[in-house]
Amino acid sequence: MLELKNVSLSVGARTLLENASATAFPGDKIGIVGPNGCGKTTLLNAIIGNVSIDSGEIVLAKNTDLVYVRQEMGDASVKLLDFVISADRRLAELRKKLRDSSDDLAEIYDQIGAIGGNSAEARASVILAGLGFKNDDLSKALGEFSGGWQVRASLAATLFAPADILILDEPTNHLDLESVIWLESFLIRSDKILLIVSHERAFLDNVCNKILNISGAKLRSYSGNYSTFIRTKREQDLAAQRMAESQEQKREHIQSFVDRFRYKATKAKQVQSRIKMLGKLEPVAQVEVNYSVRFVFGEPSPKVDRHLVTLENVSAGYGSKIVLRDINMRIDCGERMALLGANGNGKSTLAKIISRRLEKLSGNLEYAKNLKIAYFSQQQTDELDIRLNATEMFKIYHPELNETQIRSALANFGLVRERTQTKIALLSGGEKTRLLLAIITSQQPHLLILDEPTNHLDIEAREALIDALAKYSGAAILITHDFHTLEACCKHFYVVADGTCKPFKGTLAEYKSFLLTQRDLSDKPNGKVRSPRKREDRKMAKQMADLEETIKTLSEEKIALGREISEKYSEAACERYEKICSRLEAHEEELLALMELQ
């Protein structure tokens, strides 16, 4: 169990939390949400012990194991698989004893078996595969991987480590959609206490059963997932607003009486009575004004032909290395297309080919006359001169605008005047994203190509992006691991895999179900992705998805009932608990049987 008791927390002179209290029990999967800068990550660091609290108490149950993603990688020469397994310190100690001791070997072997040490390599390999590593990667040294893949390795080690409490701060960063889907499935099955900070709405919806909202230095707890929290909070805010309006009307009515009859002796008693009433009126808490932002995209101009881009047997790559071959696709006006597929399969390469940033190696590539294409690169520093400020950068593309007009354009993307004069190098990732979106959409493109635009955006800004794309009449190609953004924006899906790009004949939900039912996603993450066109494949995928949902529901009921029994024992509750366990076991066996048929 984890408990916050009247915790106050500040950074410098700024108060982040004041008298905050909350409790987490085994099985609680808690999403911590709130506007940027409210203190979400600082709170996690306080729970970990990296930040001191001003007052109050953070209580952990005795012998609680708490794990989180560590930034330091340690010895870069350590092999990937060994690095992940070393996260189980108890196992590492026992294996060291096994090497160094000649006595009691049988007992050490028994202890290793008791903590699951005999299956450690297999379990670690499954986690690494789920996060996108290939089998060949397992024996590579950590130093051979890029920074993003090293972050994945740290996440894998954290997921492998035995823990009662698992802390994850933006765990989906550096992941592709396929790995995010696997991570969701993994966490849903976990019985640990989960504390998660994330800006991905679908991820919070699918994983979390409780939300802690930080706002105005207050910490409030809500049951349910993120969407439930939004509905509940909206209802609470509406009720508070109505109460405030009602009280204000009452106050004005009483004050009107006092003002009218204050100097009439015959009404002196009634006036004094109402003055006392005014004094007794309790102030109603102000309804919080949520941070909001909107994006305004320039509409396409001038008009162009309906067929914007046509690719016929196009091959692409770098030098002599062919990444994609025989690509056939067409992008029309108003198109909303998503490129799916694991990182490294060529999504960004295809985006660069279409945006004219990379020359094709062969095939035919045709563009509509006067076509304007805007490209958002996930590598922001490739597009922005970090030595300039936002106003100077924007003026390069629009020398005809004066400073007031430029500030107005940037304000449409939530960049206030102060930040427009700040060097780009000093802007946050989210501010750089907004600046780049402001620049590319101001050119009134007919086709927007957005490669991971949500990486540094909070939930409110992602909703603003979705809204802006809905109003934008041009075509858009989207690459992102944010399921909610893809689902809200895109109608057509293309899977980039095995050196080519093929349309996916199904919905995004079907693609997710398909991935979850493929064992290849666990042990061969970059294997073939085949569209489930056969009716029996679709039927099995749906059956397995339904079982997954049932198992999730039963697991939540089991956790809740277990908590109820621990607080107040009853025979009836115990009988219900046993029935749930039996049903859960039966459904899990059924799911495993179906997986064997894949």
Side-chain angles (χ1 to χ4, degrees), residues 439-458:
I439 289 171
I440 66 172
T441 58
S442 68
Q443 300 166 49
Q444 298 179 283
H446 305 92
L447 172 60
L448 269 176
I449 301 177
L450 305 177
D451 191 353
E452 296 292 356
T454 62
N455 270 356
H456 300 285
L457 297 181
D458 57 23

Side-chain angles (χ1 to χ4, degrees), residues 297-301 308 332-336 444-448 467-476:
F297 290 177
E299 281 299 296
S301 178
L308 304 182
D332 292 336
C333 289
E335 181 80 70
R336 291 292 187 274
Q444 298 179 283
H446 305 92
L447 172 60
L448 269 176
D467 185 57
L469 282 171
K471 295 174 181 175
Y472 172 66
S473 63

